[in-house]
């Protein structure tokens, strides 16, 4: 393993010098487009643990259901996910939005499993104020490691699969808008007013876009 990287260590120490949630960077910041090098022990174990705690706190505070390190300006292949799935029963059922316990994804990489796709509105803490419809594989195979370095090799389905894909895409320098149906783009206040249905069929009709 390479020795801890001192420039990166300094950057993260500085970031973590103040307690509390970190600033989330918005679309347009190059760090969100750069892609991330794999995590290979660039940080000391203690600093890695502090970074993960800060990512979790920042995700909770936002609030959001996932956060990738580049979203706080850190160019490392690390993300966290957690979703209490506190949504009405009809939405939970239509979107398979089951609770996702807290997980740390280090060096994650996914592939779609099977032909089934899911099409729903999705948003991003780095693109505040808007959501758009994204079609993604309903089920994925994820590989990577957890925070202890133990391998991850498992299937995710339903809403947790969407979260994992969204966060892993961040680590590849992608935003959900790169995959979105752009005619579906909706401001949050309009979404709350008009498109609260469990599935985006009415939005497709109203805004003039095709569902797969
Ligand atoms: Zn995002």
């Amino acid at each position: 393993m390479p020795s801890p990287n001192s420039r990166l260590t300094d950057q993260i120490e500085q970031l973590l010098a103040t307690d509390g949630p970190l600033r989330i960077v918005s679309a347009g910041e190059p760090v969100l487009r750069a892609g991330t090098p794999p995590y290979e022990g660039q940080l000391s174990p203690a600093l890695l643990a502090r970074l993960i705690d800060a990512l979790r706190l920042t995700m909770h505070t936002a609030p959001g259901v996932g956060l990738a390190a580049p979203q706080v300006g850190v160019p490392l292949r690390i993300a966290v996910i957690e979703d209490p799935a506190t949504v009405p029963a009809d939405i939970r059922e239509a979107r398979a939005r089951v609770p996702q316990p807290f997980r740390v994804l280090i060096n994650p990489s996914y592939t779609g499993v099977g032909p089934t796709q899911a099409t729903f509105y999705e948003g991003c803490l780095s693109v505040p104020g808007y959501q758009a419809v994204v079609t993604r594989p309903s089920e994925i195979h994820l590989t990577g490691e957890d925070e202890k370095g133990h391998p991850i090799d498992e299937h995710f389905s339903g809403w947790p699969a969407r979260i994992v894909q969204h966060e892993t895409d961040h680590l590849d320098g992608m935003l959900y808008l790169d995959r979105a149906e752009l005619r579906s783009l909706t401001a949050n206040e309009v979404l709350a007013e008009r498109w609260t249905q469990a599935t985006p069929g009415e939005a497709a009709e109203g805004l003039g876009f095709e569902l797969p």
Side-chain angles (χ1 to χ4, degrees):
M1 247 186 201
S3 62
N5 178 310
S6 65
R7 223 172 108 199
L8 195 60
T9 293
D10 288 350
Q11 185 206 339
I12 295 169
E13 286 283 8
Q14 214 163 55
L15 208 58
L16 302 182
T18 351
D19 282 339
L22 304 174
R23 187 177 74 89
I24 296 175
V25 302
S26 294
E29 289 286 348
V31 68
L32 289 172
R33 290 307 199 175
T36 46
Y39 182 73
E40 298 174 310
Q42 291 94 327
L43 310 180
S44 71
L47 189 57
L48 175 64
R50 285 173 58 211
L51 174 64
I52 290 167
D53 282 350
L55 287 171
R56 187 180 193 184
L57 174 66
T58 306
M59 171 177 68
H60 286 169
T61 306
V65 296
L67 191 66
Q71 291 184 275
V72 297
V74 172
L76 284 174
R77 202 167 174 83
I78 299 173
V80 295
I81 60 171
E82 183 174 13
D83 182 14
T86 46
V87 292
D90 61 324
I91 288 183
R92 178 181 281 219
E93 195 171 329
R95 301 181 191 172
R97 188 159 174 181
V98 293
Q100 169 60 55
F102 179 71
R103 293 285 297 270
V104 179
L105 311 178
I106 293 181
N107 300 330
S109 171
Y110 71 84
T111 49
V113 175
T116 313
Q117 298 200 303
T119 302
F120 293 109
Y121 268 100
E122 183 175 318
C124 177
L125 296 173
S126 293
V127 188
Y130 290 90
Q131 295 195 36
V133 165
V134 186
T135 297
R136 296 183 180 276
S138 301
E139 190 180 348
I140 57 160
H141 178 221
L142 181 76
T143 58
E145 295 128 48
D146 69 11
E147 65 274 35
K148 294 180 183 121
H150 298 146
I152 296 174
D153 184 348
E154 61 187 275
H155 281 203
F156 285 78
S157 59
W159 206 259
R162 179 171 295 267
I163 298 170
V164 167
Q165 291 172 71
H166 180 115
E167 299 312 327
T168 304
D169 286 351
H170 271 303
L171 303 176
D172 290 326
M174 286 188 77
L175 294 173
Y176 82 99
L177 290 172
D178 301 338
R179 299 188 186 278
E181 166 53 60
L182 284 182
R183 286 190 68 100
S184 72
L185 188 69
T186 300
N188 282 343
E189 58 270 25
V190 180
L191 196 79
E193 228 169 78
R194 287 184 175 274
W195 312 128
T196 53
Q197 304 83 17
T199 57
E202 283 180 45
E205 209 166 301
L207 300 175
F209 63 89
E210 301 281 326
L211 292 174

